[in-house]
Amino acid sequence: MSKRRPYVRSMDGWWRKNPFYVEYMIHECTALFVAAYAFVLLVGLVRLGQGEAAWNGWLDALRSPVSVAFHVVFLAVIAYHTYTWFVIMPITLPPIIIGGKTVGPGVITGGGLLAAVVVSLVMLALVWRIV
Amino acid sequence: MSENHKIIEIEVLRYNPESDDEPHLEVYKVPFSDDMSVLQGAQYIKDNFDGSLTFRWSCRMAICGSCGMMINGIPKLSCETFLRDYYPSRIRIEAMANFPIEKDLVVDLSGFIEKLESIQPYIIAKEPRTLEQGEYLQTPEEFNRYIQFTSCINCTLCYAACPQFGLNPDFIGPAAIALLHRYNMDSRDGAAAQRMELVASEEGVFNCSAVGYCSEVCPKHVDPANAVNINKTNAAKDYFLRFLSPKGGSK
Amino acid sequence: MMKAGLKRSNAPIFWGLFGAGGMLSALFGPVLVFITGIAVPLGLLLPKGAMSYPKMQAFAQNFIGKSFIFAVIALFLWFAAHRIFHSLHEIGIHAGLGAKLICYGSAFASTVIAAYVLLVLGF
C-alpha cells in the first residue's frame, strides 16, 4: 500500500502573505470605487431623463460636503487605478517592436500615463468651450 | 566547515506523511560561512541533525530547476540564495506554495508534468520536409520571437507565485503556457490552432487575473505573465472570429 | 496529446468588457470625477453653468455625447463587476451563481437602464 498522503495547504488569507499580493488586492479593490462613481453617474442620467427639477436636485446633492468628500476619495482611488492599470500594461501587450528594438516596459507605462494626462487636459478644455 | 563561522537559525516546514497529520515548523541552528547557499544549509541539517529531511536538488547552479522552495515566503531557487543575506535573522524555508506537500520540502509535481504534456511541447511542422529538402530555415527575427520563452527550466517557482493556480489547481498555469507560447511563436511550428483548444478552455488563460508575480520570481526572466496575457488576446480573437473563419476555431 | 473533454471558456465576453472598461476608466475616470464631483459642484476652475440642465440635455441628445455617457456608465460597471467577481473568488467567497448574478446582473441592469434613459431623451 502506498504511504503517500500529499498535504494540501489552505489558501485562506493568501493575499496577506506577501506585500506583492497586498498591493494586488488594493488595486483590485479600486473597482469598488469605479462602480460607486458609475452608479452616481447612472443616478444623474436617470434624473436628467426626469426633467430639469430632478436634474437640479441631483446637482444640489453633488454640492453637499459629504458628496464632495466622497468624490475626493473617488479621485484618489481611481487615479491609483489609472496608475496600476498602466503599470500592468506591459505584461498584457504583445512585444511592440519599433526600429528593430522591443519597446521597454517603462516606455509602455509612461506612454499610458501620458495618454491619461492628455485625455484629462482635453476633457477640461472641452468643458471650458461648452460654456 | 571552515573555522570561525556564524550560526544562523533555519526554520523548516516539516511534514512526514507516515506520522504527521499536518506540517509543523522545526528550528535548526546551522553554522555557516559566507559562501553557503540555503540549499547547503538544508544539506547541513540533513547531514548533521536529521537524515530524514527531504528535499530535491541536483546541479547547485540554477539550471536544473529542482531546488525551488519558499524562502521567507518568497519562491526562490535555494541554490542561488545565500544564508549571509538573511543573517542574523532567522530564515524560514517551506515547500513551494500552491502544490501538495509530498514530504518536507518536496511537492507533488505530477499535475505540472501532465500539463506540460498537454500543451504538446514540441514542434509540429507547419510544412513537413523530407531529408532531401534539407533543414528548416529560420531568420534571426523569427528566432527572436520565441527565444525568451525557451529559457524555462521547469522550476515551477511561477506556480508557487500564482494564487490563481493555488485557488484552481486545474489552471494550466504560467510555465506550461509560456512553453506553449514558445512553440506557437516558432516559425517552423503549425499547431497553434490545435493548442488553442487548451488555451481557450476553462483550464486555460482566463484563470489568470494578471497578478504578475510569476514573472517577478522567474529566475530565468521568461516573463510567463506576458505569454499568458498575449494568449488571452489570441483566445478572445479565436472566440469572436471563429464564426467568420471558414476553418473555424476549436470546438 | 490533448486533454479530452475541454470546455471552451466564455470568459472572452466578460474579459473584453473588463478590458475596455478598465482602459476607459484609467483614461477618463480621474478627470470625470474631478469635473462632475469636485470642480462643478464647488465652482472651482470650471465655469459654474458647465453642467446646467440645457447643456447636459443637449449633450445627452447629441449622438457623440450619448455614446460617451453610455460607454462610461456601462463599461465602468462591466469592468468593476468582473474585477469584484474575481476578487470575491480570490478571498474565498465562492458564491458561484449568486455572486455572478449580483456582480454581472447589476452591470447588465444598469446598462439597460442607461440605454433606456438615453433613448427616451431623444436625438
Side-chain angles (χ1 to χ4, degrees), chain C residues 1-122:
Chain C
M1 67 235 71
M2 289 315 257
K3 279 165 86 176
L6 288 171
K7 232 179 110 196
R8 187 191 269 277
S9 163
N10 285 315
I13 297 169
F14 302 103
W15 177 77
L17 290 166
F18 159 81
M23 184 58 87
L24 198 69
S25 55
L27 289 172
F28 289 87
V31 73
L32 282 177
V33 172
F34 177 72
I35 292 169
T36 70
I38 300 170
V40 169
L42 295 183
L44 278 175
L45 194 67
L46 295 175
K48 259 219 147 99
M51 279 168 67
S52 67
Y53 181 73
K55 283 213 171 72
M56 288 314 292
Q57 196 189 28
F59 186 60
Q61 284 174 339
N62 171 290
F63 183 74
I64 295 170
K66 211 183 266 298
S67 313
F68 181 73
I69 295 170
F70 181 69
V72 165
I73 293 177
L75 290 177
F76 276 29
L77 284 168
W78 283 101
F79 156 75
H82 188 71
R83 243 191 193 174
I84 293 166
F85 177 67
H86 277 264
S87 300
L88 286 175
H89 165 73
E90 286 160 6
I91 58 172
I93 303 170
H94 311 294
L97 199 62
K100 216 171 215 168
L101 275 177
I102 293 170
C103 291
Y104 296 119
S106 54
F108 180 74
S110 306
T111 303
V112 171
I113 294 169
Y116 174 77
V117 176
L118 283 165
L119 282 177
V120 169
L121 275 164

Side-chain angles (χ1 to χ4, degrees), chain B residues 118 120 122 164 194-195 198 200-203 206 209 232 236 238-239 242 250-251, chain C residues 1-3 5-13 15-16 86 89-92 94:
Chain B
S118 75
Q120 301 177 293
Y122 33 81
Q164 300 303 347
Q194 280 180 47
R195 296 188 187 101
L198 197 58
S201 74
E202 291 187 341
E203 288 87 40
F206 290 106
S209 59
K232 281 185 198 167
D238 185 69
Y239 187 89
R242 72 192 137 135
S250 55
K251 283 153 274 170
Chain C
M1 67 235 71
M2 289 315 257
K3 279 165 86 176
L6 288 171
K7 232 179 110 196
R8 187 191 269 277
S9 163
N10 285 315
I13 297 169
W15 177 77
H86 277 264
H89 165 73
E90 286 160 6
I91 58 172
H94 311 294

Side-chain angles (χ1 to χ4, degrees), chain B residues 97-117:
Chain B
N98 305 330
F99 288 102
I101 303 180
E102 200 67 69
K103 185 171 193 260
D104 295 335
L105 302 168
V106 170
V107 295
D108 179 6
L109 289 175
S110 49
F112 172 64
I113 302 299
E114 279 168 30
K115 285 168 192 170
L116 268 189
E117 286 180 4

Side-chain angles (χ1 to χ4, degrees), chain A residues 27-38:
Chain A
H27 80 235
E28 290 289 289
C29 286
T30 58
L32 289 167
F33 296 80
V34 173
Y37 178 62

Side-chain angles (χ1 to χ4, degrees), chain A residues 14 18 24 31 40-41 50 60 64 71 73 83 86 115-116:
Chain A
W14 63 268
N18 187 310
Y24 166 77
V40 170
L41 292 184
Q50 289 168 339
D60 278 340
S64 78
H71 280 86
V73 175
Y83 171 72
F86 291 119

Side-chain angles (χ1 to χ4, degrees), chain B residues 3-120:
Chain B
E3 59 285 0
N4 66 41
H5 33 241
K6 296 168 251 182
I7 307 267
I8 187 166
E9 287 187 332
I10 303 183
E11 195 174 29
V12 187
L13 190 72
R14 302 293 310 265
Y15 173 66
N16 181 346
E18 292 186 53
S19 57
D20 300 343
D21 284 332
E22 54 183 36
H24 62 280
L25 290 163
E26 262 177 55
V27 184
Y28 303 91
K29 289 183 163 54
V30 177
F32 76 102
S33 50
D34 273 356
D35 57 353
M36 262 176 78
S37 63
V38 173
L39 174 64
Q40 284 173 292
Q43 287 168 327
Y44 188 91
I45 295 170
K46 188 176 176 76
D47 292 344
N48 296 278
F49 300 134
D50 186 346
S52 74
L53 179 65
T54 307
F55 50 94
R56 292 190 174 114
W57 63 279
S58 176
C59 77
R60 298 159 292 129
M61 44 201 250
I63 196 61
C64 76
S66 346
C67 70
M69 48 183 83
M70 306 302 285
I71 301 177
N72 281 1
I74 294 172
K76 282 176 182 287
L77 295 179
S78 57
C79 68
E80 60 165 0
T81 307
F82 288 88
L83 291 169
R84 61 171 187 257
D85 294 330
Y86 295 85
Y87 182 82
S89 303
R90 180 185 278 190
I91 180 169
R92 194 178 73 244
I93 59 179
E94 298 160 273
M96 278 189 291
N98 305 330
F99 288 102
I101 303 180
E102 200 67 69
K103 185 171 193 260
D104 295 335
L105 302 168
V106 170
V107 295
D108 179 6
L109 289 175
S110 49
F112 172 64
I113 302 299
E114 279 168 30
K115 285 168 192 170
L116 268 189
E117 286 180 4
S118 75
I119 60 127
Q120 301 177 293

